[in-house]
Amino acid sequence: MVEYERGSLLRFLGLYLGSTLLLLGIIIALFYQNSQKSLLESAYLRLEVEAGEIAKEIVLAHMHGQTLTALHHPIDAHLTLYDIEGRRIAGLEAPFDLTIRRGEIEGLLYVVNDSAFGHLGIDHIVLSMEKNLQSLESLKGYLLLGFALLALLLGLFSYLLSRLFLRPIKEEIKRIDSFIKNATHELNTPLTALLATAKSLQKGEVDEKKISRLLLIAKQIEHLYSDLSYLFFKDIRHQEDRFFDLGELARSRALYFEELANNRALFIQTTLHSLEIKMDEVLAERIIDNLLSNAIKYAHAGTSIELIVQKEGWLYVQNEGAEIPQEEGEKIFERYYRFHPSSKGASGLGIGLSIIKEITLSYHLPLFLSSKEGKTRLGVDFSSLIS
């Protein structure tokens, strides 16, 4: 894992895992507090019910002439009785506050009931019990264990999720890195030849062959520059649709690429009908140029490349070369994808056909690909743009 991946992974884990654990911790803390309140509320309610029952017994005992010895109370609770003056009659010697209904003192929970109304000399009933924290401690232990296990699972899930999110970024960076290397290589070859030719001209070695070579190199660089310009400046370029003859444009581009084709012992044959369409001419030129460039790149030496414009609206470029498998039919239109990149003569940046697909999608133009018996035909249907 390289440095940028490690940094991105740690930042994602820190943000996602930290925020999730914080939220989980808050939920657990609130649950614990609510459980504590519920437990105390349950204990107070029990004491209040029992104190009410004792008050009833006191009233009934007084009415039947019985004494205090007949009173009973829960075995886990303490009963303390006070008279109307607030003096303790029986029970615990603890500073209970008789002015409140519920209280807590010295580890005891207690309730005060004054519904005896002085019967048998009793005015206040205090029922108390030990504050039992054992269940809360057990609950706290379970919650902490659950939190630790959830943190472990969330950590593992976050790691796997971050790797899943980073994978397409990593692949895209790898493709861009490959693109930069290929672009450097593509530029290095013609620039090296350009410098060598320029030096020979500087020495006075001027002949028609060297001039033709210079023009060929210039066309290679111009084509590469045109593709890169479209790729990086398409968002700020203003599209201008106007009427022009697609057949004439195709004828001029065939002448432009003729020398590039001849340099690889290839021949461009044309069958061009006049076809007036409304489109951005620069974008149409990019389609034709990349179709021709792709055909020249993968055609076998000594064969012909056919450029066809039909009056029905189809423009085709056909070459004789390696057959494109059916499963690669869609891949070749992906950006940076190069068909048989290791084969001899297969060069380029893997952007030409992706530019074609992008332009045709923007105009809703159908694409055609057929590759069998050593012949590959690529075409675009311009019929929807015919004036």
Side-chain angles (χ1 to χ4, degrees):
M1 186 181 294
V2 297
E3 188 63 31
Y4 78 86
E5 289 179 304
R6 190 181 299 109
S8 300
L9 181 61
L10 290 176
R11 283 191 293 272
F12 177 83
L13 286 176
L15 180 62
Y16 178 79
L17 190 58
S19 59
T20 304
L21 290 179
L22 177 62
L23 179 60
L24 184 61
I26 292 173
I27 293 173
I28 290 176
L30 291 174
F31 176 77
Y32 179 77
Q33 289 181 358
N34 185 64
S35 299
Q36 186 179 36
K37 288 179 180 179
S38 297
L39 188 63
L40 291 175
E41 182 66 22
S42 177
Y44 277 125
L45 285 173
R46 179 191 167 201
L47 289 174
E48 287 175 345
V49 170
E50 295 290 346
E53 292 296 324
I54 293 171
K56 290 179 183 179
E57 287 189 33
I58 291 173
V59 173
L60 290 174
H62 186 239
M63 291 175 64
H64 291 90
Q66 296 175 349
T67 62
L68 292 176
T69 56
L71 296 177
H72 69 275
H73 59 83
I75 59 174
D76 60 342
H78 308 285
L79 179 62
T80 306
L81 303 174
Y82 293 86
D83 62 16
I84 194 169
E85 299 296 334
R87 293 187 295 267
R88 185 175 62 85
I89 299 173
L92 297 176
E93 292 186 9
F96 296 116
D97 186 354
L98 302 179
T99 62
I100 61 175
R101 191 170 65 89
R102 292 177 176 181
E104 181 179 344
I105 186 172
E106 298 177 356
L108 292 174
L109 301 176
Y110 68 92
V111 296
V112 179
N113 185 293
D114 55 2
S115 59
F117 303 114
H119 292 280
L120 297 180
I122 300 170
D123 193 65
H124 295 290
I125 301 168
V126 176
L127 197 61
S128 59
M129 64 184 298
E130 299 291 335
K131 185 178 181 180
N132 185 7
L133 299 178
Q134 185 177 358
S135 58
L136 281 175
E137 289 300 319
S138 299
L139 177 62
K140 183 188 293 184
Y142 286 127
L143 289 176
L144 289 176
L145 178 61
F147 180 80
L149 290 175
L150 281 174
L152 183 63
L153 290 174
L154 280 171
L156 179 62
F157 176 74
S158 301
Y159 176 77
L160 295 175
L161 189 63
S162 61
R163 292 301 297 263
L164 186 64
F165 283 161
L166 287 173
R167 185 182 300 169
I169 299 175
K170 183 178 180 180
E171 290 175 354
E172 187 65 21
I173 291 175
K174 187 184 293 185
R175 284 195 294 267
I176 292 174
D177 182 63
S178 175
F179 168 76
I180 293 172
K181 290 177 181 177
N182 292 332
T184 303
H185 173 73
E186 288 294 308
L187 283 171
N188 180 66
T189 302
L191 285 176
T192 301
L194 182 64
L195 287 172
T197 306
K199 286 179 181 179
S200 64
L201 291 175
Q202 191 178 30
K203 294 177 181 179
E205 301 173 6
V206 181
D207 57 45
E208 189 174 331
K209 187 176 180 180
K210 286 185 172 58
I211 298 297
S212 297
R213 191 180 184 189
L214 277 177
L215 290 174
L216 180 65
I217 295 169
K219 286 182 178 181
Q220 290 175 331
I221 295 175
E222 183 186 20
H223 177 67
L224 179 60
Y225 173 78
S226 297
D227 276 348
L228 293 176
S229 294
Y230 170 81
L231 193 64
F232 294 112
F233 302 113
K234 60 183 177 181
D235 294 331
I236 60 175
R237 180 184 175 275
H238 179 63
Q239 183 173 307
E240 296 182 2
D241 292 344
R242 65 180 186 83
F243 291 106
F244 64 91
D245 191 330
L246 184 64
E248 285 301 314
L249 178 63
R251 192 184 312 279
S252 67
R253 301 321 295 167
L255 291 173
Y256 178 87
F257 278 90
E258 188 173 20
E259 193 167 2
L260 290 170
N262 293 340
N263 186 58
R264 293 203 57 215
L266 299 170
F267 307 95
I268 298 178
Q269 297 179 347
T270 61
T271 304
L272 307 172
H273 287 87
S274 179
L275 187 71
E276 191 170 278
I277 64 171
K278 186 178 183 180
M279 182 182 177
D280 189 308
E281 190 170 356
V282 174
L283 298 184
E285 184 178 296
R286 293 261 46 77
I287 290 176
I288 299 171
D289 284 7
N290 282 314
L291 286 174
L292 286 170
S293 174
N294 186 75
I296 292 171
K297 191 184 304 175
Y298 292 103
H300 293 322
T303 61
S304 297
I305 293 171
E306 295 183 54
L307 174 60
I308 303 167
V309 175
Q310 297 178 340
K311 58 183 178 181
E312 293 82 8
W314 277 96
L315 181 146
Y316 293 106
V317 173
Q318 180 174 291
N319 71 306
E320 297 180 35
E323 188 173 317
I324 302 174
Q326 187 175 358
E327 61 270 16
E328 298 212 27
E330 286 296 323
K331 290 183 180 179
I332 64 171
F333 293 101
E334 295 176 5
R335 184 169 295 177
Y336 310 133
Y337 180 82
R338 299 192 302 160
F339 176 58
H340 295 327
S342 61
S343 63
K344 292 182 180 180
S347 58
L349 304 178
I351 61 174
L353 294 184
S354 71
I355 289 175
I356 292 174
K357 185 174 182 179
E358 195 171 301
I359 296 172
T360 54
L361 283 175
S362 68
Y363 281 94
H364 306 289
L365 305 177
L367 268 171
F368 174 83
L369 169 63
S370 173
S371 185
K372 52 187 176 181
E373 298 178 358
K375 289 187 177 182
T376 297
R377 173 176 280 200
L378 271 169
V380 178
D381 183 7
F382 291 90
S383 60
S384 62
L385 304 180
I386 296 175
S387 58

